[in-house]
Amino acid sequence: MSDRLFIFDTTLRDGEQVPGCQLNTVEKIQVARQLELLGVDVIEAGFPISSPGDFNSVIEISKAVTWPVICALTRAVQKDIDVAAEALKYARHKRIHTGIGTSDEHIRYKFNSNREEIIERAVAAVKYARKYVEDVEFYAEDAGRTDNEYLARVVEAVIKAGATVVNIPDTTGYCLPSEYGAKIKYLMEHVEGIHRAVISTHCHNDHGMATANTMAGVLNGARQVEVTINGIGERAGNTSLEEVAMIVKCHKDIGIETNINTQKIYPTSRMVSSLMNMPVQPNKAIVGRNAFAHSSGIHQDGVLKNVQTYEIIDPRDVGIDDNSIVLTARSGRAALKNRLHVLGIDLPQDKLDKVYEDFLRLADKKKDINDDDILLLAGADRSQNHRIKLDYLQVTSGVGVHSVASLGLDISGEKFENCASGNGPVDAAIKALKKIINRQMTLKEFTIQAISKGSDDVGKVHMQVEYDNRVYYGFGANTDIIAASVEAYIDCINKFKPD
Ligand code: KIV
Ligand code: ZN
C-alpha cells in the first residue's frame, strides 16, 4: 500500500507575491478551478488581512471550488485570524495557516523577542484559530535556519495546542537536501505526538535545491508538500508542483501516491504562465518548451529506435499532445473552443466569438497558432477596460536613418496624438508617448521575448516603469514588437496610483 502525499498548492499566495504576477479575482478563480481539476488537495487562496483584494479572492475561491481544502494565511495575530476566518466562511473545507518566525534571526531582529515568548505566541495563535476551524496549520517561518532542538519544542507545543498540520519552511532556500531531510527526521523521532499531525515541506529555491529538499523531506516522513505551478514564487521561487508530482509517479519504489491528474499539468502550467505573464524557462523540467525536445543526433537516433532510451516521462502523461500546434487560419470555431477547453478555459458564446475574430486576425499574420497565443487571445480583454489605449502607431526606421514614430492614444474616449524621433523605433515611439503623457517616469526594465521560433511569432514585452517613487509592471503582446513595447508601457501607466 502506498502512502498518500498531500499536495498543497500556494500558486495563488506565495506565487502571486511575485512582482508583476498579480491576478484579479476572476483570474484567480480560473486558476483555482484548474487546480481542482488537476487534483490538488489544498489551495492556499491568499493572505486575507493583507488587502481587500486578497480577502475578496479567498471568499470567491471558496465559493467556486468544491473538493480542495481552502487555506488562508495569517500571522500569529488575532486580528489576522479573525479576518481569515471571515474570508473562509463559504469554504466547504477550510484551513487557517498561522505561524511565526522561529530562527534566532527572526526572533531577535523581526520580533525583538526570545524563544520562550515565541512558543507562547505560537501556541496562542493555534488555539485561537482552532476556535474558528478544526483544521489549523502552523508554520515555523525560517525553520530551515532554526536549530532542531528548539524547532522540536515549537512543533510539540503547537501540536498539543491543536495544530493538524505543521509546516517546516526553508524560507530562505538555505538548506542542503541532507540537512533538510535530517531536520524532518529529527522532528519525526523527537517530537512527542508527531503522528497526530501531518508534517509539511515548504522549500524556496534560492540555491536551486527546492525540489531536492522537498523530496528529502518526503523521504524522511513529510506527507504534505507546499508547491507552486511552474515553481513561481518570491525571489528564485518555490518547489514546483509538476516536478514533485512526476518524481513520485516515476519512482514507484518510494511508495508514495498523490491525487494529481498528471495529464492536466501542462495545460495548468500554460494557463498560469499566460495569466501571470510569467514565461516558463525553455529548459524548465517537465513543462519547459525543450523538456522533451531531443536535438543531439545520438539522442534522436536512440529515441527513434525506442523512446525509452532517452525519455523517462511520456510527454502525454503530463498533457503534452501532438495537437499543441494545430490551429491555423483554416481552423473553425469548434477547434478553437476545443483547444481552449483542453487549456482549462470555457468561454461563453459571445466571448468565444470575440476570441475567434481575434484568432482569425492573428492567423492572418502568423502561420501556426500555438497554446500561448490562444491563452493570450483569451486573456486579451484584460486590458479592455483600461483608461488609456493605443489608438494607432506608425514607425519609420532602418539603417542609416533616424527612427521616427507618430502615435495616437485614446484616453477615456478622447483622442491625442504626437510624434518624436529616437535612436531606434522603440525609443521614438516611447518619446512620442511621453509627449502625450507628460509625467516624470523612467523605464527601469525592458525584456522582449518570442514564444516559439518563427519570425512571425507574437512578441511578449515585460516592462518596469518608475513613477512617483514606485515601480509599476506592464505587459504587452503583439506580432509587432514595437507595438507590444508601447502597449507594455501603457499598461504600466494605466496602473499608476491616482495623483
Ligand atoms: O516561505 C515561508 O516561510 C512562507 C510562510 C509564510 C509559510 O511562505
Ligand atoms: Zn514561502
Side-chain angles (χ1 to χ4, degrees):
M1 248 283 278
S2 289
D3 252 14
R4 179 78 149 73
L5 180 65
F6 296 101
I7 304 290
F8 175 117
D9 182 279
T10 184
T11 305
L12 295 174
R13 201 278 297 170
D14 225 346
E16 215 245 351
Q17 275 171 223
V18 177
C21 282
Q22 279 66 39
L23 300 179
N24 62 36
T25 303
V26 175
E27 292 162 342
K28 285 187 190 173
I29 292 172
Q30 203 176 324
V31 172
R33 288 202 168 119
Q34 182 67 18
L35 291 172
E36 182 170 32
L37 289 177
L38 179 64
V40 308
D41 299 286
V42 186
I43 295 176
E44 188 161 48
F47 182 11
I49 193 111
S50 68
S51 71
D54 253 41
F55 179 79
N56 200 34
S57 299
V58 174
I59 293 196
E60 295 307 324
I61 291 169
S62 300
K63 292 181 192 161
V65 305
T66 309
W67 301 113
V69 172
I70 304 299
C71 180
L73 187 79
T74 80
R75 293 165 298 180
V77 171
Q78 288 197 353
K79 180 78 187 141
D80 283 30
I81 297 171
D82 295 335
V83 173
E86 174 67 15
L88 287 169
K89 70 179 170 205
Y90 296 106
R92 288 170 186 81
H93 314 282
K94 51 186 94 177
R95 178 182 297 175
I96 291 178
H97 189 190
T98 190
I100 196 161
T102 54
S103 65
D104 288 334
E105 288 82 351
H106 279 229
I107 295 175
R108 200 171 311 139
Y109 303 120
K110 199 167 147 183
F111 301 112
N112 187 22
S113 183
N114 59 61
R115 288 181 166 194
E116 299 314 311
E117 201 178 278
I118 291 295
I119 295 187
E120 281 167 27
R121 285 168 70 171
V123 165
V126 170
K127 285 190 175 157
Y128 192 71
R130 276 299 299 252
K131 291 196 176 136
Y132 285 113
V133 292
E134 304 228 311
D135 191 1
V136 173
E137 173 166 343
F138 175 82
Y139 64 86
E141 194 178 7
D142 204 16
R145 291 187 299 167
T146 303
D147 105 67
N148 288 349
E149 250 174 69
Y150 175 63
L151 186 62
R153 286 183 52 215
V154 176
V155 174
E156 195 165 303
V158 295
I159 293 176
K160 270 204 191 105
T164 44
V165 181
V166 183
N167 176 11
I168 309 297
D170 184 20
T171 305
T172 57
Y174 166 80
C175 288
L176 291 168
S178 54
E179 208 177 348
Y180 190 76
K183 192 175 279 293
I184 302 294
K185 186 168 191 284
Y186 183 89
L187 297 175
M188 298 307 292
E189 287 172 354
H190 291 86
V191 171
E192 208 187 296
I194 190 94
H195 297 290
R196 295 209 305 273
V198 171
I199 296 300
S200 182
T201 66
H202 179 114
C203 299
H204 280 268
N205 205 28
D206 299 65
H207 283 143
M209 295 192 292
T211 300
N213 283 345
T214 297
M215 287 313 301
V218 171
L219 293 174
N220 283 285
R223 284 297 173 267
Q224 176 181 280
V225 288
E226 304 195 5
V227 290
T228 61
I229 301 296
N230 301 334
I232 62 162
E234 288 221 82
R235 308 183 307 278
N238 289 59
T239 305
S240 82
L241 181 151
E242 59 275 12
E243 292 172 14
V244 177
M246 292 315 291
I247 291 169
V248 299
K249 187 175 164 102
C250 289
H251 284 268
K252 299 262 182 308
D253 48 307
I254 304 177
I256 295 276
E257 262 177 16
T258 71
N259 188 45
I260 295 297
N261 173 356
T262 60
Q263 291 185 346
K264 300 276 181 212
I265 284 179
Y266 186 67
T268 312
S269 159
R270 303 313 317 147
M271 177 193 277
V272 168
S273 162
S274 162
L275 288 175
M276 291 192 165
N277 297 324
M278 180 58 121
V280 175
Q281 73 192 60
N283 59 333
K284 165 81 181 66
I286 317 292
V287 291
R289 186 187 343 122
N290 295 345
F292 299 99
H294 301 275
S295 53
S296 92
I298 295 174
H299 282 207
Q300 284 180 346
D301 180 55
V303 168
L304 286 173
K305 286 179 177 141
N306 184 327
V307 70
Q308 284 177 4
T309 48
Y310 286 101
E311 259 181 30
I312 54 166
I313 299 170
D314 182 341
R316 283 169 302 190
D317 277 354
V318 295
I320 297 177
D321 57 46
D322 296 337
N323 296 330
S324 328
I325 306 179
V326 287
L327 298 187
T328 67
R330 283 174 304 286
S331 304
R333 207 173 301 245
L336 176 68
K337 187 176 175 185
N338 178 54
R339 196 65 213 154
L340 280 164
H341 178 73
V342 170
L343 294 170
I345 299 176
D346 291 303
L347 297 177
Q349 194 57 44
D350 56 332
K351 179 89 194 288
L352 179 69
D353 290 345
K354 168 82 182 62
V355 174
Y356 187 63
E357 268 174 39
D358 295 344
F359 162 79
L360 290 178
R361 223 169 286 128
L362 180 63
D364 265 353
K365 299 187 200 161
K366 191 170 187 273
K367 199 158 62 67
D368 293 324
I369 306 290
N370 60 31
D371 289 349
D372 290 283
D373 297 327
I374 292 170
L375 286 163
L376 271 176
L377 292 173
D381 68 338
R382 272 181 276 158
S383 59
Q384 216 94 116
N385 298 328
H386 280 173
R387 202 169 69 83
I388 307 173
K389 292 188 195 118
L390 179 62
D391 202 20
Y392 73 85
L393 172 68
Q394 191 178 27
V395 185
T396 316
S397 74
V399 179
V401 291
H402 245 311
S403 299
V404 182
S406 60
L407 165 151
L409 294 184
D410 177 320
I411 306 182
S412 307
E414 227 184 305
K415 307 282 183 193
F416 296 83
E417 54 187 2
N418 220 315
C419 57
S421 62
N423 68 7
V426 174
D427 187 43
I430 287 176
K431 280 186 173 143
L433 172 72
K434 283 173 136 181
K435 283 187 177 173
I436 305 175
I437 310 282
N438 187 13
R439 299 201 194 182
Q440 268 308 326
M441 33 193 192
T442 319
L443 181 57
K444 301 299 273 186
E445 206 174 297
F446 176 30
T447 53
I448 302 183
Q449 197 206 21
I451 296 165
S452 53
K453 296 157 196 129
S455 56
D456 61 352
D457 197 11
V458 173
K460 286 178 153 194
V461 173
H462 295 261
M463 264 187 192
Q464 294 181 23
V465 170
E466 191 177 74
Y467 170 64
D468 202 16
N469 294 323
R470 286 192 57 170
V471 175
Y472 295 86
Y473 294 80
F475 173 75
N478 203 303
T479 47
D480 178 329
I481 54 161
I482 320 294
S485 309
V486 174
E487 281 166 5
Y489 210 110
I490 294 174
D491 192 31
C492 293
I493 298 173
N494 274 307
K495 292 176 184 162
F496 287 180
K497 291 264 172 294
D499 295 324

